[in-house]
Amino acid sequence: MGELVLVRHGQANSAANDETGYDRLSDLGHQQAVWLGEWLRTHDAPFDEVFMGGLRRHRETAEGMGNMGAQPQVDLRLNELDYFNLSRAHAEKNGATEMHGPEDFVHHIRDIMEAWHRAEIRGDESYADFEARVAEVLDLAATPGRRVLCVTSGGVIGMMVRHLLDLDIARMAHLLVPIRNCSIHRVMVLDQARILSGFNATPHLDTPDRIHARTEF
């Protein structure tokens, strides 16, 4: 049996309004990565392979985690979906959507993902291209008999879960909302199947003095 472990990056610059501004860890994000690395070294065996996306927040998270048993390899297929440009395209087509809290984001991300899936809007890539590249990296990383770690983003994790559970677009979009920064997601890899065995775990933040560090944005 193998295992694929997916990690979302640490908290980034959530006040940003474009990808460049967003793509760096906050002070808390750096700390989340350090705590996650310490927990994994204590509770998990070393990984046979480690992959990370090519974004700054992926690299900073992997660096903060430290030695996971293998040198991280960059795989651009682990990069996040193009949320900021998709959001702008959706606003231009349907009118701007003002978001004031998590409840607004639930509807906003669902509407964006459904419009993108219908090819009514696009960012740097089509929905079909995003879905295909995530499926490719899932096939690559989910290797029977090996333990593989991937440092990536929430949209990629959500798409992998869509593939594993055959979710529709609305359910996948809702799945994105609660994914925490530096959360752990596990896939059991058998010769016959790939089975989701863990989702959105943050055991490194379970102590009372770290509850404040459980963040989604």
Side-chain angles (χ1 to χ4, degrees), residues 14-87:
S14 56
N17 56 15
D18 59 38
E19 173 60 32
T20 301
Y22 179 74
D23 192 26
R24 64 178 187 272
L25 294 192
S26 66
D27 290 343
L28 178 58
H30 284 286
Q31 182 62 73
Q32 290 168 334
V34 170
W35 284 334
L36 174 59
E38 292 171 348
W39 190 91
L40 287 171
R41 276 188 295 277
T42 302
H43 296 85
D44 261 315
F47 294 93
D48 297 303
E49 291 183 287
V50 178
F51 296 97
M52 62 180 178
L55 300 175
R56 174 178 172 176
R57 58 189 182 272
H58 299 148
R59 173 176 52 80
E60 290 181 343
T61 300
E63 288 174 351
M65 291 168 63
N67 183 12
M68 292 290 105
Q71 184 67 28
Q73 305 172 58
V74 174
D75 192 319
L76 300 182
R77 291 173 294 188
L78 289 168
N79 284 0
E80 180 61 298
L81 57 85
D82 185 24
Y83 172 75
F84 289 101
N85 283 330
L86 287 170
S87 185

